[in-house]
Amino acid sequence: MKKLISTALAALAVVGAAPVLADTYPSRPVTLIAPFPPGGSTDVLARILATRLGARLGQPVVIENKPGANGSIGASAAARAKPDGYTILLMGGSSYTVNSLLYKNMGYDPLASYEYLGIAGGTQLVMLTNPTTGIASIKDVVTKSATEPLSFGSFGTGSLPHIAGEYFSQKTGAKLVHVPYKGSAPAMTDLIGNQIPLTIETMVAAMPQIRGGKVKPVAVLGAKRAVQLPDVPTMQESGVSDFDFETWFGIVAPKGTPADVVDRLSRELKDMMAEKATHEALDAAGFDPRYSDARQFRDQVQRELKRNARIIEAAKIHAD
């Protein structure tokens, strides 16, 4: 009888354990929200990371594009998603560090709405000119603008290129007039057509036109020279001190996601970003395979929120 009871209890234990094993995270596909249209930098990076992360999780990571409002629509959807680890968000740095300074009622708070996982990839910003302008350096930009203000394009009001351009004016006294566009492509088209003398753009979008000789790089905006443009100086090397603007991409989960799931996602993200194959894929697409952990990620958001608030106030930037 004792043996029968023991056997029955063992069977019940196995049955009882079955749902737990079935619910081991992840047991189904994970959705990665990309809050910009297909084909842009965020979408391109999301597809690279989804493939690599899915392989590590043992489940597909499916991209869901939710564009609009400078990333706010997708970010808000992620903040409202069920906090179970099956919805995560990849968003560019300016959407974390600019939107909340310009827009009300976004539907998310960059610090309070998410569990931070890490920064996964980035790309330099570069100031570009048309080859016919005669501008060859940052000094030329400042000198020419003293005679007549120079227009500079960006992919939208409140974008990081816009903020960087305003900071450049504040630091150097250059007289620049911001021209916002609805994306990188129209801004680049007007630069190539010499309708505007300057733009600030991501390296991913700029490199095909630079290689084709249609636009000319003046300076990169990060603290270090870009691997893709080793002969182009940084703003700091060009005499503009304390200048460091780069586009980076952070991955978050909805606030309240269980700690063990956050730990699993964070660990897989870190290990994925250390893989040679991930570096090669990001390099090939024009991204910098940088990585920062959750604490470093949050610290960067807080620093940039403070910096960008000062720039926005001084430049009197308002949302359209």
Side-chain angles (χ1 to χ4, degrees), residues 284-300:
F287 292 100
D288 172 9
R290 74 189 67 178
Y291 166 78
S292 297
D293 64 24
R295 181 186 57 78
Q296 295 166 330
F297 178 8
R298 179 175 284 272
D299 288 347
Q300 182 154 347

Side-chain angles (χ1 to χ4, degrees), residues 255-277:
K255 190 70 175 179
T257 300
D260 59 335
V261 174
V262 171
D263 289 345
R264 171 75 190 279
L265 286 167
S266 299
R267 183 174 68 254
E268 298 295 1
L269 178 63
K270 178 181 179 180
D271 292 345
M272 176 191 74
M273 292 303 295
E275 293 175 343
K276 181 180 179 181

